[in-house]
Amino acid sequence: MKILDQLKFDDNGLIPAIIQDIENNEVLMVGYMNRESVKKTLEIGKTCFWSRSRQQFWLKGETSGHVQIVRNIYFDCDGDALLIKVEQKGGACHTGYRSCFFREMSLDGNAVNIVGEKVFDKDAVY
């Protein structure tokens, strides 16, 4: 896959991937991919990431069933970030919210407002 040669992976062999809902453009999450997880994502049509904490591959939704069906993949002008538009099945956040970006910080930095939608009980899923 010659297109992968246009991507710039960091010193750890990773590239950030911003995951966005294809229907409403909501940013669902940010994950990291290495060359192999990008290849796997292209092969199976579902997002596959590299877990920095566990040092292993993980298929989004493998445990929860809340998979992301890939619809489009973009890369930025420098080739060092991916934008992946998906059809999200269930919630994207392991805490039960539809998006990992469910908290809004006040501009003075003194308050947090929950703005996201909780779509599942994490204790019932994990």
Side-chain angles (χ1 to χ4, degrees), residues 34-86:
N34 62 14
R35 189 176 181 90
E36 292 305 312
S37 60
V38 173
K39 279 181 166 177
K40 186 73 169 173
T41 295
L42 292 167
E43 288 170 11
I44 67 172
K46 297 177 183 173
T47 54
C48 182
F49 300 94
W50 178 256
S51 171
R52 295 176 299 162
S53 59
R54 294 177 301 202
Q55 292 293 294
Q56 66 183 35
F57 288 102
W58 61 282
L59 175 65
K60 180 67 177 162
E62 190 170 34
T63 303
S64 68
H66 300 170
V67 298
Q68 296 171 335
I69 309 300
V70 176
R71 297 298 182 213
N72 304 99
I73 301 177
Y74 303 87
F75 57 100
D76 72 338
C77 57
D78 295 323
D80 62 1
L82 298 173
L83 172 63
I84 303 176
K85 293 198 174 197
V86 302

Side-chain angles (χ1 to χ4, degrees), residues 105-112:
M105 182 188 327
S106 65
L107 294 180
D108 64 7
N110 292 320
V112 173

